[in-house]
């Protein structure tokens, strides 16, 4: 497989993960509106959105890569996290702090992507 072809597919899988994120966050907003969910439930839901999105993109990348699937899944999780961080910095308009929450989201995204790569066929 050509490197250019693989890069194009990885970008497509990253876009798919953000489409999944948008759909899941919209669904969560409706659930929040209808059921008046507590902040704890919303936090768990957002974590689930991160993991599910990275899991799916990791599965897609791993199935496309063939060998070293977990590395391609990890790559997708890290790319998702980096884009998420960049978007957050642009929207917030300031620099971010590396704290426990930042590292937790990094681990969740990279772990979800790697798990997706490992279970891909």
């Amino acid at each position: 497989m050509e490197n250019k072809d693989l890069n194009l597919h990885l970008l497509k899988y990253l876009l798919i993960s953000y489409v999944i994120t948008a759909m899941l966050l919209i669904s969560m907003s409706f659930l929040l509106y209808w059921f008046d969910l507590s902040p704890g439930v919303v936090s768990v839901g957002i974590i689930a959105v991160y993991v599910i999105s990275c899991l799916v993109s990791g599965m897609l990348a791993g199935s496309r890569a063939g060998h070293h699937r977990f590395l391609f899944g990890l790559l997708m999780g890290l790319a998702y996290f980096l884009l998420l961080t960049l978007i957050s910095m642009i929207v917030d308009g300031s620099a971010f702090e590396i704290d426990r929450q930042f590292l937790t989201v990094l681990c969740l995204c990279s772990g979800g992507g790697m798990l997706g790569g490992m279970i891909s066929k």
Side-chain angles (χ1 to χ4, degrees):
M1 177 181 338
E2 286 185 19
N3 197 17
K4 182 179 176 183
D5 186 42
L6 181 61
N7 290 341
L8 184 63
H9 284 286
L10 293 179
L11 285 175
K12 182 172 77 170
Y13 301 149
L14 186 61
L15 178 64
I16 289 170
S17 69
Y18 274 98
V19 168
I20 291 169
T21 298
M23 291 186 323
L24 290 174
L25 288 177
I26 290 169
S27 300
M28 274 189 49
S29 67
F30 283 120
L31 290 174
L32 179 62
Y33 178 73
W34 288 332
F35 298 112
D36 195 31
L37 302 174
S38 69
V41 172
V42 173
S43 294
V44 170
I46 290 171
I47 289 169
V49 167
Y50 290 154
V51 173
I52 291 168
S53 298
C54 292
L55 183 84
V56 170
S57 66
M59 286 175 60
L60 292 170
S63 65
R64 182 75 180 178
H67 290 39
H68 304 293
R69 296 184 311 232
F70 71 98
L71 288 176
F72 282 91
L74 176 64
L75 176 68
M76 293 309 301
L78 290 174
Y80 180 92
F81 174 76
L82 289 174
L83 190 57
L84 182 70
T85 302
L86 181 65
I87 292 169
S88 296
M89 286 174 50
I90 291 170
V91 168
D92 188 27
S94 64
F96 62 93
E97 241 179 68
I98 296 179
D99 58 357
R100 188 176 56 135
Q101 183 180 7
F102 180 84
L103 296 174
T104 301
V105 174
L106 171 63
C107 291
L108 289 170
C109 292
S110 58
M114 189 178 350
L115 180 62
M118 285 191 277
I119 64 174
S120 67
K121 293 185 179 192

